[in-house]
Amino acid sequence: MKVFESAGQIHAEINFLRSQGKKIGLVPTMGALHKGHIALIQRALMACDTVACSIFVNPLQFNNPDDYKKYPNTIAKDTQMLEEIDCHLLFHPNYEQVYGQSKPREYDLGHLNNVMEGQFRPGHFQGVANVVLRFFEILQPDVAFFGLKDYQQYMVIKRVTEQLMPSIRIVGVETIRDEKGLAMSSRNLRLTTDEYNSAIKVPELLKEAGEMLSHKPVEEIKAWFTTQLDNIEHLKNEYLEFADADTLELVINPANHKNIRTFTAFYAGEVRLIDNMPI
Ligand code: AMP
């Protein structure tokens, strides 16, 4: 695997590979790699000739400075994991290499920026759109792969890419869970054993909430979900929502929607986690 810290150098390398007719796949990450990331890279390896993984903890997308400071950094182990699965290129830039002197841009994210993560993490998706489009400029992938664990992020990226860089195809990969059912996340590393043992109860409750939608009003299910989490030590619900999988319009009457997903953000101790699943 070739490792690059310079935007100019990886750009030149990819230009050369493209001139050889190679199809380029990109998997952007913030590191602390786990099986969820690896599934994305393996999917990319199956679909593309050359796969680049980027590792960059993007300060622009953290609305909480403490979350940014505490974000895990395991670059030596990450590099080894990428070597083991034969990833071709690793891009591990610093802030300067990604943004230089340029100012963050404001993108039109429409309704996607007003609900759920958009509402509870102001500025988060503007930060995501900035970094992803910057990586697209540097790496010029044919295809980029994103996890549906961050479903709303996937929708935001699809929207800005369709508007601004429509030649790039965006592929979503279903959530990878650990053996207890918890959606894999780099932030899981920060959970104590007790917090972890509480957090693993959430996916089952999320699934149950989805099943209730066929016969109970939304507000009643939300209240039920909050009470369930309140009754589990260390947990606190931030939101439960049902949203149209194609538009993220919040669901009031399920009969009006073809595909619905259930979404939550919750705290396990001080660690904020998100999860979602199709109904
Ligand atoms: P992150 O490093 O958390 O920014 O994630 C990098 C990419 O991996 C994003 O596209 C995430 O949606 C994806 N990802 C993170 N966790 C998982 C998971 N458990 N299953 C599938 N994809 C994931």
Side-chain angles (χ1 to χ4, degrees), residues 216-235:
K216 283 205 159 61
V218 167
E219 289 310 318
E220 197 178 310
I221 307 170
K222 286 187 184 183
W224 170 84
F225 188 81
T226 302
T227 309
Q228 295 296 311
L229 265 65
D230 280 348
N231 288 336
I232 301 172
E233 222 187 339
H234 307 298
L235 297 191

Side-chain angles (χ1 to χ4, degrees), residues 86-144:
D86 294 326
C87 182
H88 305 111
L89 308 175
L90 166 59
F91 182 40
H92 181 224
N94 63 17
Y95 184 92
E96 181 67 26
Q97 288 297 318
V98 178
Y99 294 114
Q101 301 304 317
S102 66
K103 288 222 163 57
R105 286 184 54 188
E106 275 285 306
Y107 294 98
D108 169 19
L109 307 180
H111 162 77
L112 298 179
N113 205 23
N114 301 335
V115 292
M116 301 189 288
E117 294 302 280
Q119 185 187 343
F120 282 93
R121 298 187 69 188
H124 169 63
F125 286 130
Q126 288 295 344
V128 168
N130 268 276
V131 77
V132 168
L133 290 173
R134 190 65 199 112
F135 278 149
F136 286 177
E137 282 166 12
I138 297 169
L139 295 150
Q140 309 172 69
D142 296 286
V143 197

Side-chain angles (χ1 to χ4, degrees), residues 28-30 34 36-37 40 71 146-147 149-150 174-176 184:
T29 81
M30 297 203 295
H34 51 65
H37 299 115
L40 257 61
Y71 204 83
F146 293 88
K149 206 272 281 179
D150 302 281
E174 253 311 341
T175 305
I176 304 296
M184 302 212 59

Side-chain angles (χ1 to χ4, degrees), residues 27-40 54 56 61 71 145-151 153-154 157 171 173-178 182-188:
V27 180
T29 81
M30 297 203 295
L33 300 184
H34 51 65
K35 287 184 186 145
H37 299 115
I38 298 302
L40 257 61
S54 62
F56 175 63
Q61 73 186 70
Y71 204 83
F145 298 80
F146 293 88
L148 300 189
K149 206 272 281 179
D150 302 281
Y151 194 87
Q153 166 174 284
Y154 160 76
I157 291 164
V171 172
V173 179
E174 253 311 341
T175 305
I176 304 296
R177 297 176 181 278
D178 70 12
L182 186 64
M184 302 212 59
S185 163
S186 306
R187 290 184 176 87
N188 295 355

